[in-house]
Amino acid sequence: MASHFAVRASQALMQSSPKWRLAIWLLLMLSASLWTLQLWQNGARVQSDILAMLPHLQQDKLTERALNQVEATLADQVYIALVTKDETTAIAAAKLLMQKLEADLVATGKNAALTEIRSADMQLGEALGQYYFPHRFKLLTAPQAEALATKDIGNLIEAATAQLYNAFGYANSNLLAQDPLLLFPANLLALAPSSKVRASQGILLANQGDNVAAVVMAKGRESAFNPNAQLAQMTALTAALDAVKQSYPDINVLKAGALFHAIAATQTAKSEISILGLASLLGVIALVWLAFRSVMPLLLAIVTISSGLLLAVTFTLSVFGELHLLTLVFGTSLIGIAIDYSFHFYCERLSDSERSAKATVAYIFPTVTLAFITSALAYVGIGLAPFPGMQQVAIFCAAGLLGAYLTLILAYPLLAGSRLPEGSRPLAFAGTYLANLTKLSNKLTTPLGMGLFALVIVVWCLIGVSKLTVDDDIRHLQQSPASVTEPENKLRQLLSGGTDNQFLLVRAASEEALLQQLERVSPLLDAAIANQELGNYVSLSRYLPSQQRQDTAYRLQGEIYQTQLDTVLASLGLDENLKPELKAAYLAAKTEYITPAAFFTLEAGKQLAPLWLAPNEANSPVSKGALNDGGVSAEHGAEHGADQGAIVLLGGIQQIDALKARFAHDESVQLIDKVADISAVMGHYRLLTLKLLALALSIALLLFSLNFGIKKAAVVVAVPALAALLTLATLGLTGSPLSLFHALALILVFGIGIDYSLFFASAQNHGKAVMMAVFMSACSTLLAFGLLAFSQTQAIHYFGLTLSLGIGFTFLLSPLILTTTQALTNNPLLTTKKS
């Protein structure tokens, strides 16, 4: 019933007036234009973040919160190192840079591009001291705890005495009256993480050989991947750095942060859109002019492409609310596909100049419709991948093809009615090519010819596929230029050996259990550092001892304040009248604890709060403050039953496998490696896409057998299948590793290749016209995708290279459907046998 209705509807459409069709087309294009304009005005935007193309990992809620927390805290950080030989100059230059950035912040207020401008905070240490001192009875370093546990109080007395007589010691009468053994200063020093950096005059400093680097940090108010935010942030940075350079011309500047990668990606994408798109468009225009020698086909070719691009943008913005720059780069290939319908129309007009435009559209309508459906389904196959960017590509290109198809059906009957100049030369060229192919087919249809042909194909495929390797690493999708990566790597090494994408997520069912778990993890990480598996780490265990650990410290200090206090005071020459006050202070501290809730109210606590994942996210003390750990950038990376967790940042990872092995059997500790996880997902979907291609070939065989019979349908499907196999073999022989983007491109090879096969299978007596149309179509597609193969972005390069090879093989193989059929029909041996 549905198929009967579709046939009746198509017949009614073909019989309708060309004027009515054009009116409908104009109404559609006007509506699309107005709707797109409305979408832009309502906040639709261009997205340039390569990470927006990546799959959304299926994670439990706590892992997802941890990933979002790390990304939100560190993604938009900007790091600037001012390197010079003189420390005084480096400090002065850093202060000038901060002064200029802060002046811009004050001048622009809420619209400031960069906020949280900072270096070293000299007041943090004092604030921490004021917070921890009332809890001094609950704090002990490992050596202090060991001395008290073994009742070796004499060692502690000797250490305190040495401080008393040290000209540079930190002992004073007030401190001695409250902490006679001077235990607290050592505990305060233990809070500072081991690092290559130091602070002077409020500036963070690091040594680079004989040079000194002063480091300034800031945070972008908006995402670094927002093109407008990029411009604003770079404008503010450039102005401030120009002022620094003017005052200190010998300063060398190192920059790091997602901002500089995003700018490089945006510039590359914009450049490629303009260059590749323009080259593809000019190539198509040249093809049309050389073939038809008329202005009207050229104008209609531009109209076809424009209408396709209009619907592509409209549908994409309607579905996603944004348009990825890489979608636009991929979309330049739409020029080479959308124009195919125009080629087929005008080639049929050339072959039968007496036929009207309306009749020509009606003649090619069934084949073009089937070709459109198969190509659109191929794009839908791409849309099944878990990549938002590739889903955009699928919607963009499928909608673009729809626009081109509707333009052919609705606008061409009236607009393309003018007579064409004599087109015998291109048709004669196509005829000669087909004649030569027929001669070749005559040779191939002999047993020896078919055997040799099959042998060459089999050997080529076996050798090539055996050499094929795979590469699913997402870091190879987009590689920033050396001008961005080299300064960043230097700055990473300066600060901390590099803060990496990976981090630990520690889980527990309660706050106390979580703190105890963090304390168990720290010695393992210290051992990893000693074994050169890791450079450094940032953990809350350094700042938030568990109640169990605090109780242990309190009990051990009872040896001082309840047993040995007389000995301590006498040994240090302190007034014995201090004894009652010290005992009273010790006893009063028994129920007072260092707690996360209290710690996160401090300025230092606010900076570290993103590492704490409370059970109720709404009540979490996590703030949006920056993690001032001296690292450079941590861009990203199963339900365990735990309802809260803590993040441990890792830096300078040297042996990721050894690090994973340390926690492999601990379900409460998870090494989050988003890069590896996404790469694994890419590998999974690469295999799934290849299986989907096999399924698509099977469905196409079943569908076409209803129209052509099983034998002819098998030949039609065999062409894109063999083209895909030859493409894989060629990739293996050239050393190009197989990735998801190769597999996605093979889906399109199938979609486009089926078009060519269908046209030849339906050619009947119009072989020259079909050959000419397929030749022009292949040239335009190769222009588009061949240019994509020169893209600096690996994902686009892989996509373009695979499509170029696939379409090239399809173009060579598809005419054999027609010529081999003719050769078999004219073969006297077969004819005799048949009779």
Side-chain angles (χ1 to χ4, degrees), residues 251-416:
I251 287 284
N252 182 31
V253 179
L254 300 178
K255 294 180 281 191
L259 171 65
F260 308 106
H261 293 276
I263 288 173
T266 302
Q267 290 174 345
T268 299
K270 286 181 177 178
S271 173
E272 290 180 356
I273 289 169
S274 57
I275 295 173
L276 300 184
L278 180 61
S280 180
L281 185 60
L282 291 176
V284 168
I285 290 172
L287 269 176
V288 174
W289 179 258
L290 290 173
F292 306 118
R293 301 284 181 173
S294 175
V295 174
M296 200 59 194
L298 195 57
L299 292 177
L300 277 180
I302 295 173
V303 169
T304 303
I305 293 170
S306 300
S307 60
L309 291 175
L310 173 60
L311 283 195
V313 172
T314 302
F315 274 74
T316 306
L317 291 180
S318 299
V319 174
F320 297 97
E322 64 180 18
L323 192 60
H324 203 288
L325 273 175
L326 291 184
T327 301
L328 290 175
V329 176
F330 278 115
T332 60
S333 61
L334 182 63
I335 296 171
I337 305 173
I339 199 65
D340 289 358
Y341 303 134
S342 182
F343 290 158
H344 284 290
F345 172 84
Y346 276 109
C347 288
E348 288 296 337
R349 287 292 312 277
L350 276 181
S351 67
D352 189 349
S353 58
E354 299 301 321
R355 185 190 289 143
S356 68
K358 179 180 177 182
T360 303
V361 170
Y363 176 76
I364 65 174
F365 175 75
T367 306
V368 169
T369 301
L370 191 57
F372 164 69
I373 291 171
T374 53
S375 295
L377 287 175
Y379 281 116
V380 170
I382 286 182
L384 295 177
F387 288 73
M390 296 313 298
Q391 290 164 0
Q392 276 201 22
V393 169
I395 294 290
F396 188 92
C397 291
L401 282 183
L402 176 62
Y405 173 77
L406 291 176
T407 303
L408 172 70
I409 303 303
L410 299 176
Y412 274 51
L414 186 63
L415 298 181

Side-chain angles (χ1 to χ4, degrees), residues 796-821:
I796 300 176
H797 165 74
Y798 290 155
F799 199 83
L801 176 64
T802 307
L803 268 163
S804 298
L805 291 171
I807 296 304
F809 284 124
T810 304
F811 170 74
L812 293 175
L813 294 171
S814 58
L816 295 177
I817 296 174
L818 181 63
T819 58
T820 305
T821 303

